[in-house]
């Protein structure tokens, strides 16, 4: 990663502090108060030692300074605890905001965009990479300012007492950030490579885990196990490289801080032996000055040492921000194409396309040019061989894929509509049912106002009531993770019931009967055929035995609509008949 990219990512990271700014300011204030307490504590301690050793004052006369010193110890502990709490809240607020932005952007981009990467890489982006920014916001950013102000406070307190000791600290202080920068130059790049390796490993492992049965079937389990072992070993080595850089930076900082403190100690040692006689203001080098300088010297370097210890947090944050910032900014173009208009749908919904080209997120043409009219209340079955572009058209209608040309909803371009408004007008049933809520009832109602009679009616239509008595708690039964407590057919019926329950103006069906047994398929097809009369409906299907029940049949080939008409008209067309026969053969195979 070049310096320009690193600086850009650092500016981006700092620009994300909006939601944690008040916590960041509070952390800085607590750090400054803690610095003042440190100076007071050192002053009191040096005064007590001067009084006891040099002036031989009775301990009873120093009760007040002892109490104040004890109060400083307790106050420092309380301030340190508060700084940790405030820093954590700052990081938590910013991380929550970043995660929400990523989830909102993924929701806006839709499944057609998300499936371009394995699920493991998205999990790494949401969990690992954003989590690694915690220390950057909670510790590194506040420490950057404290590393500037705290040494200044100590120098202001030390210069009036002994200018030589203060000058030694002032001259040696730049060595620490200098060597910290030299050691840390490769840390951000190492972390970036580490995160890329982790994302690849996560996606690789999850994909193999999902296809475990297929791997066993083709006797590839041992080969894939060796591949995962090699990838894990590579990731281990990259992780150790990052840790080596972190330990190296800490060791360098400790060395130079210890060296600087030793120079201060040597100066006062030779001063007390009478070898050196400078640095004071005419009264000689006192024991008070020596104790004050030696007590404050470690505190002078402590903010810089802490900054060095947290420097790896900056490197981790830069490495994690690389792909995160790329994702949030690269998808801005598609997000900015969304409009904010709403339209009147009281008289139904009509879709008109002219020279429509459906594009991938990368800008490649997936289907088109297409020209068609889907009239209000019309029921259309879309058929064609695999790869013809049917699902791409549905994704474009759903608002999940960009397009060129014209795609109008009641005379308004789809890209001009408010995405949230448009999603409310759609109901969709696909090949693989997704039941994200915890219970059957919640998966059907999906947060809307529950109408009990309507709920029972759609459950009856979708065939949910057939297996409902066999569930332990009826509609309140838990579906489990990825609907594990239901069969595929049962989960698909629940998905159909959800689509029937939602009031919509456009029903999109993407092979809803695929992978179902004949009994479940009859329930699903019957319910959806009955529901298709209630709104504009577009069905993708490979099942050709019920096409005569639909108003029109559209035939797609190589991304284009080659035939549009009734089922009888298509059968009279030799080219369309050949395509239907080929699709029937593909379905059987």
């Amino acid at each position: 990663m070049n310096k320009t990219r690193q600086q850009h990512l650092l500016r981006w990271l700092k620009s994300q502090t909006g939601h944690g700014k008040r916590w960041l300011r509070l952390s800085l204030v607590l750090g400054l108060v803690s610095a003042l307490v440190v100076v007071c504590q050192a002053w009191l301690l040096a005064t007590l030692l001067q009084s006891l050793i040099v002036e031989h004052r009775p301990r009873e006369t120093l009760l007040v300074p002892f109490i104040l010193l004890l109060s400083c110890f307790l106050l420092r502990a309380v301030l340190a605890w508060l700084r940790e709490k405030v820093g954590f809240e700052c990081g938590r607020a910013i991380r929550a905001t970043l995660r929400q932005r990523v989830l909102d952007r993924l929701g806006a981009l839709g499944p057609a965009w998300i499936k371009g990467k394995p699920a493991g890489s998205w999990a790494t982006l949401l969990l690992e990479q954003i989590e690694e920014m915690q220390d950057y916001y909670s510790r590194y950013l506040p420490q950057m300012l404290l590393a500037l102000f705290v040494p200044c406070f100590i120098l202001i307190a030390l210069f009036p007492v002994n200018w030589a000791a203060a000058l030694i600290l002032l001259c040696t202080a730049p060595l620490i950030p200098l060597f910290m920068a030299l050691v840390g130059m490769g840390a951000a790049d190492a972390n970036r490579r580490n995160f890329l390796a982790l994302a690849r490993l996560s996606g690789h492992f999850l994909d193999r885990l999902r296809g475990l049965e297929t791997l066993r079937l083709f006797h590839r389990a041992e080969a894939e196990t060796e591949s995962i072992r090699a990838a894990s070993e590579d990731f281990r080595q990259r992780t150790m490289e990052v840790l080596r850089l972190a330990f190296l930076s800490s060791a360098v900082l400790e060395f130079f801080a210890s060296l600087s403190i030793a120079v201060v100690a040597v100066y006062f040692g030779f001063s007390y032996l009478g070898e050196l006689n400078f640095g004071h203001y005419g009264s000689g080098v006192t024991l008070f000055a020596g104790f004050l300088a030696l007590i404050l010297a470690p505190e002078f370097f402590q903010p810089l040492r802490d900054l060095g210890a947290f420097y790896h947090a900056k490197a981790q944050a830069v490495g994690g921000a690389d792909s995160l910032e790329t994702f949030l900014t690269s998808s801005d173009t598609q997000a900015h194409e969304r409009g904010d208009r709403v339209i009147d749908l009281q008289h139904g919904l009509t879709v008109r396309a002219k020279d429509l080209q459906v594009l991938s997120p990368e800008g490649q043409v997936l289907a088109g040019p297409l020209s068609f009219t889907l009239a209000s209340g019309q029921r259309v079955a879309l058929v064609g061989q695999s790869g013809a572009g049917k699902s791409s058209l549905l994704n474009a209608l759903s608002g999940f894929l960009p397009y060129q040309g014209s795609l109008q909803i009641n005379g308004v371009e789809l890209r001009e509509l408010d995405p949230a408004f448009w999603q409310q007008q759609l109901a969709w049933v696909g090949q693989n049912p997704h039941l994200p809520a915890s219970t059957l009832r919640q998966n059907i109602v999906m947060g809307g106002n529950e109408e009990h009679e309507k709920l029972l009616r759609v459950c009856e239509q979708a065939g949910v009531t057939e297996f409902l008595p066999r569930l332990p708690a009826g509609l309140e039964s838990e579906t489990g993770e990825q609907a594990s407590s239901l069969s595929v057919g049962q989960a698909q019926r629940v998905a159909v019931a959800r689509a029937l329950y939602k009031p919509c103006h456009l029903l999109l069906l993407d092979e809803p009967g695929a992978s179902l047994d004949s009994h479940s398929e009859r329930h699903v097809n019957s319910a959806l055929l009955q529901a298709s009369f209630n709104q504009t409906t577009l069905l993708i299907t490979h099942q050709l035995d019920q096409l005569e029940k639909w108003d029109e049949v559209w035939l797609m080939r190589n991304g284009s609509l080659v035939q549009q008409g009734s089922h009888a008209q298509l059968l009279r067309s030799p080219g369309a008949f050949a395509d239907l026969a080929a699709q029937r053969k593909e379905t059987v195979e």
Side-chain angles (χ1 to χ4, degrees), residues 15-27:
S15 69
Q16 308 304 310
T17 58
H19 291 273
K21 187 166 291 185
R22 64 188 183 95
W23 295 110
L24 198 59
R25 290 172 179 170
L26 182 56
S27 178

Side-chain angles (χ1 to χ4, degrees), residues 293-538:
L294 290 174
I295 292 171
L296 288 179
E299 300 293 345
F300 178 86
F301 291 105
Q302 190 60 45
L304 295 172
R305 292 159 73 181
D306 289 342
L307 184 64
F310 300 149
Y311 192 79
H312 70 280
K314 171 191 171 183
Q316 287 177 338
V318 170
D322 189 22
S323 56
L324 180 62
E325 187 267 348
T326 300
F327 165 68
L328 291 175
T329 54
S330 64
S331 56
D332 276 341
T333 303
Q334 185 173 345
H336 291 163
E337 291 179 354
R338 308 297 180 89
D340 55 1
R341 295 186 59 178
V342 296
I343 55 177
D344 183 12
L345 298 174
Q346 291 183 355
H347 302 291
L349 182 148
T350 300
V351 181
R352 286 189 174 88
K354 184 176 181 181
D355 298 327
L356 170 68
Q357 286 187 319
V358 182
L359 306 178
S360 70
E362 295 77 24
Q364 299 177 348
V365 178
L366 300 177
L370 305 171
S371 297
F372 61 84
T373 298
L374 184 58
S376 176
Q378 190 176 17
R379 303 158 52 252
V380 173
L382 182 62
V383 297
Q385 291 182 274
S386 298
K390 305 184 296 298
S391 295
S392 298
L393 176 58
L394 250 65
N395 279 317
L397 288 171
S398 302
F400 294 145
L401 282 178
Y403 67 89
Q404 293 177 347
S406 177
L407 180 58
Q408 295 185 346
I409 311 298
N410 288 3
V412 178
E413 282 294 332
L414 178 59
R415 64 169 65 95
E416 298 178 7
L417 295 180
D418 177 62
F421 165 79
W422 178 239
Q423 293 298 323
Q424 289 300 317
Q425 316 311 318
L426 304 178
W428 176 83
V429 181
Q431 304 175 29
N432 303 309
H434 294 279
L435 306 180
S438 58
T439 66
L440 258 66
R441 184 189 301 275
Q442 294 170 351
N443 276 297
I444 296 174
V445 177
M446 290 302 291
N449 296 324
E450 182 177 334
E451 301 176 25
H452 187 67
E453 293 183 0
K454 181 179 179 181
L455 178 61
L456 295 179
R457 185 172 65 254
V458 299
C459 287
E460 178 68 30
Q461 292 173 350
V464 175
T465 53
E466 180 181 306
F467 62 85
L468 205 57
R470 299 196 295 270
L471 298 179
L475 286 173
E476 304 301 331
S477 299
E478 298 282 342
T479 57
E481 186 176 356
Q482 297 184 351
S484 57
S485 63
L486 302 175
S487 67
V488 176
Q490 291 172 340
Q492 187 71 316
R493 294 191 211 180
V494 175
V496 171
R498 177 175 58 201
L500 300 182
Y501 186 86
K502 180 183 179 182
C504 68
H505 290 85
L506 178 60
L507 178 60
L508 301 176
L509 308 173
D510 187 1
E511 299 187 60
S515 303
L516 297 181
D517 58 84
S518 58
H519 180 66
S520 297
E521 185 181 2
R522 282 197 303 272
H523 268 294
V524 168
N525 289 338
S526 175
L528 292 176
L529 182 62
Q530 182 181 351
S532 66
F533 291 93
N534 299 328
Q535 67 283 301
T536 308
T537 304
L538 181 61

Side-chain angles (χ1 to χ4, degrees), residues 60-94:
E60 294 79 9
T61 63
L62 301 174
L63 183 60
V64 173
F66 273 117
I67 293 175
L68 291 176
L69 182 61
L70 180 60
S71 300
C72 287
F73 286 137
L74 295 176
L75 186 56
R76 282 192 68 183
V78 172
L79 289 172
W81 177 77
L82 286 176
R83 280 190 61 200
E84 286 294 321
K85 293 286 291 183
V86 169
F88 174 79
E89 289 298 326
C90 175
R92 185 195 60 79
I94 297 173

Side-chain angles (χ1 to χ4, degrees), residues 265-277:
V266 168
Y267 159 74
F268 279 105
F270 278 101
S271 296
Y272 292 141
L273 291 173
E275 299 295 330
L276 299 177
N277 189 25

